[in-house]
Amino acid sequence: MLDIHDLSCHRGDRKLFGQVSVSVPVGRLLSIEGSNGSGKTTLLRAICGLTPPDQGTIRWHGRSITEQRETFTSGLIYIGHRIGLKDDLTPMENIQAAMQMSGHPVTTALARAALEAIGVEPVCYRLPTRVLSEGQQRRVALARLWCSDQPLWVLDEPFTALDARSSQLLRERLQRQVERGGIVVAATHQAIGLDPSTVQQLRLGE
Amino acid sequence: MMQGGLAGAVFGLIQRDLLLTWRRRADIATTLLFFVIVATLFPLGVGPEPAVLRTIAPGVLWIAALLSCFLSLGRLFATDYQDGTLEQMLLTPHPLAALVLGKIAAHWLVSGLPVVVLSPLIGLQFGLSGGAIAILTFSLLLGTPTLSLVGSIGAALTLGIRGGNLLSALLVLPLFIPVLIFGAGAVASSESGMGAEGHLSLLGACVVLAIPFAPWATAAALRIAVE
Amino acid sequence: MKTDRMNWFQWSSPQAFYPLAGKLIPWFACVSMVCLAAGLYMGFLVAPTDFQQGDSYRIIFVHVPAAWMSMFLYVVMAGWAAVGLGLKARPSFMMAQAIAPTGALFTFLALFTGAFWGKPTWGAWWVWDARLTSELILLFQYAGVMLLHASIDDLRRADRASAVLALVGVVNVPIIYFSVRWWNTLHQGASISVTAAPKMAATMLAAMGIMALGFWMYSAAVTLLRVRCIILERERHASWVQIERVS
């Protein structure tokens, strides 16, 4: 379970949010909402441990994430605003390189299956990622969610640039992650459309 | 490719960076050509007097190597920072310094090693004797890894800053001085009959010091840059 | 023991440190004035003329203490940087930031006076000798720390990045010093040595000590003055600064 206690973050002089406290039990999706500039991305980065907060603590299964960086990060997938794909690598190479670096190496077959699952057309597999459209690139990045079984997913605007079919595929994947006892934290503009009993909401900037 | 754990991650990262450089081969060519052109400018500027050229050759080659190393250091983390792979690197369960060491190793293989391989040719142009060329090449082989290691600190500190590449040069060039002195000094002291062992072992000491320390400082700088 | 610790940490908040610094500045400034006046008087008028170098040697009374301060202040700056990184304490970064310009000033002063001493003694304004070169590199390092701090807009990142650079520099200073020394040496050895027989008259030694003390006090006063400005600038939105401004 993910415990956020009394979290505050500044950017320069501006206070983004203060005293955010929320506790997410396993099998839930935490949807972070708020207008542009309300600090959604900063909150997500703080949850991952990328941006240390000014105040407050984040606990994963009862222990502060800074005390258990290794355990925490090995169970984490973060897909940020910058999606972490190398322009000059093919989608297959990108997925394999990313998974290898995060300590969960995958076979070519598994990477291919993941790309198929999010609906990346097979013709793209051998092209450098830079020639793909933005929606295709985002799908390649999201394919990591089909590759392994990390319990915590932190996603920044995962539905951006996705067409209706891919959005539906992603929604089903998120639902499955939640059903098998994982936790998803996602920043979104719109409602995600999962089973309402598994969704928790947090509004920033009020 | 399926190796897990730290070794798998580090070698996977080296492999990835080498593959990326291979896809952008022109970048290596630019670095090498820069090295050759800088070295060529000196005889044109100083004059073709063979005795003078022989004296300045070690220093010229070392400075050219140092500058061309800088040219490529700007790319060390910049693309990773822009496309978000750096964030992914920070969120792995592996110690960041180890991954950084992998990236530095890949950088040296594509920018330091080619310079070392090319240097005997430039040495010949400057009229160095066979013995001097051998010592010069060996000093570059021993010294250029330190350049990549220490340079990575500057590259990480100036990540995402406007004009960061130039600033990085200002920050790190002073730190390169010991390597420059020992490297260029090795040839001079062997020519004067004192033997190059002293300088070469000091170069070796620099690398031995830099291998554990520099990636650690670079990792700290990267964490600060990504916050 | 516990109360002692509490008292020390009390000053680590900018709000508490600001008035304390304000009270200390006049004292440091006064002592520095007195020391510098006395030191210069002794150095220029009382100390005997050197039988080899004539009166030109008298620049030593500025040169040597300035060179000491330039190195000492770099270590102090790196020390504050280390404390800042280790304890995540903002005032330590402010101290580091405030020391840098003074350190750079003394480095420049040491180089400048050194050139004036070098011309009559060695016949050249500048020689590529170990001490001069490493002092010049020290100036580059101060410049690097200040430039890096100025180039990063986000203060928190600027503080921490320049702290890392200062620490890397402090490790490198001895390496640079010895490398340059082995490379080429012309500069005379240390002017003052504890083990060797005294080479200088007692008045010279005293004058130099008083000058060094004066520079110390000057550095403390100016650093505290600068840190007060930095505190005000950074905490301008805090309520205590607003109150301070009104009163």
Side-chain angles (χ1 to χ4, degrees), chain A residues 45 78 84 86 88 93 100, chain B residues 1 8 80 83 87-88 226:
Chain A
R45 292 169 60 89
Y78 168 69
K86 287 273 146 203
D88 290 323
E93 288 164 343
Q100 169 109 22
Chain B
M1 195 69 189
D80 285 0
D83 62 26
E87 287 170 355
Q88 300 296 338
V226 168

Side-chain angles (χ1 to χ4, degrees), chain C residues 7-73:
Chain C
N7 281 339
W8 277 109
F9 276 98
Q10 180 193 335
W11 303 116
S12 70
S13 100
Q15 182 180 357
F17 187 67
Y18 182 82
L20 174 73
K23 280 197 206 91
L24 290 176
I25 289 170
W27 292 98
F28 284 131
C30 286
V31 177
S32 136
M33 290 293 192
V34 172
C35 285
L36 290 181
L40 286 177
Y41 172 77
M42 281 177 72
F44 285 157
L45 300 173
V46 179
T49 303
D50 189 87
F51 73 96
Q52 274 179 330
Q53 301 185 7
D55 277 331
S56 67
Y57 91 96
R58 289 183 193 274
I59 196 118
I60 198 175
F61 296 111
V62 181
H63 175 73
V64 170
W68 285 344
M69 286 313 289
S70 67
M71 289 181 273
F72 175 71
L73 285 178

Side-chain angles (χ1 to χ4, degrees), chain A residues 116-120 139 146 164-174 176:
Chain A
E116 275 166 14
I118 182 75
V120 180
R139 274 182 272 165
W146 274 264
R165 200 176 76 87
S166 332
S167 296
Q168 184 54 33
L169 288 169
L170 177 60
R171 209 169 286 130
E172 284 164 12
R173 181 65 187 162
L174 295 182
R176 217 162 39 251

Side-chain angles (χ1 to χ4, degrees), chain A residues 1-195:
Chain A
M1 100 168 229
L2 180 71
D3 244 321
I4 298 168
H5 180 64
D6 193 26
L7 209 66
S8 305
C9 279
H10 283 77
R11 257 288 165 265
D13 278 340
R14 208 163 60 87
K15 186 174 187 178
L16 286 173
F17 51 81
Q19 283 111 45
V20 169
S21 290
V22 64
S23 156
V24 190
V26 293
R28 288 287 181 87
L29 180 143
L30 175 68
S31 135
I32 300 170
E33 289 154 29
S35 51
N36 289 334
S38 59
K40 297 191 295 278
T41 296
T42 309
L43 178 55
L44 292 186
R45 292 169 60 89
I47 291 174
C48 296
L50 281 174
T51 306
D54 298 331
Q55 215 182 33
T57 49
I58 298 151
R59 292 171 185 279
W60 174 246
H61 293 309
R63 273 178 65 206
S64 162
I65 58 165
T66 50
E67 288 164 14
Q68 47 161 348
R69 210 187 66 82
E70 209 172 303
T71 330
F72 175 72
T73 49
S74 69
L76 166 78
I77 292 187
Y78 168 69
I79 299 177
H81 174 64
R82 291 186 273 206
I83 53 181
L85 296 182
K86 287 273 146 203
D87 273 356
D88 290 323
L89 296 182
T90 66
M92 296 282 281
E93 288 164 343
N94 258 312
I95 293 193
Q96 289 196 298
M99 297 311 290
Q100 169 109 22
M101 193 166 71
S102 67
H104 305 269
V106 291
T107 57
T108 323
L110 199 58
R112 180 183 288 274
L115 286 169
E116 275 166 14
I118 182 75
V120 180
E121 299 79 359
V123 67
C124 304
Y125 294 175
R126 301 261 160 235
L127 295 175
T129 312
R130 89 183 102 85
V131 304
L132 305 185
S133 75
E134 198 203 339
Q136 285 170 323
Q137 291 189 2
R138 295 220 48 121
R139 274 182 272 165
V140 174
L142 288 167
R144 285 171 56 207
L145 300 179
W146 274 264
C147 279
S148 63
D149 50 0
Q150 274 98 330
L152 177 64
W153 296 356
V154 178
L155 312 173
D156 198 349
E157 305 280 2
F159 291 97
T160 306
L162 293 190
D163 55 22
R165 200 176 76 87
S166 332
S167 296
Q168 184 54 33
L169 288 169
L170 177 60
R171 209 169 286 130
E172 284 164 12
R173 181 65 187 162
L174 295 182
Q175 187 72 55
R176 217 162 39 251
Q177 158 83 347
V178 168
E179 276 163 10
R180 69 182 173 91
I183 292 181
V184 180
V185 180
T188 53
H189 281 304
Q190 73 269 42
I192 293 183
L194 255 55
D195 176 2

Side-chain angles (χ1 to χ4, degrees), chain B residues 148-159:
Chain B
S148 292
L149 282 159
V150 176
S152 76
I153 303 176
L157 281 172
T158 53
L159 210 51

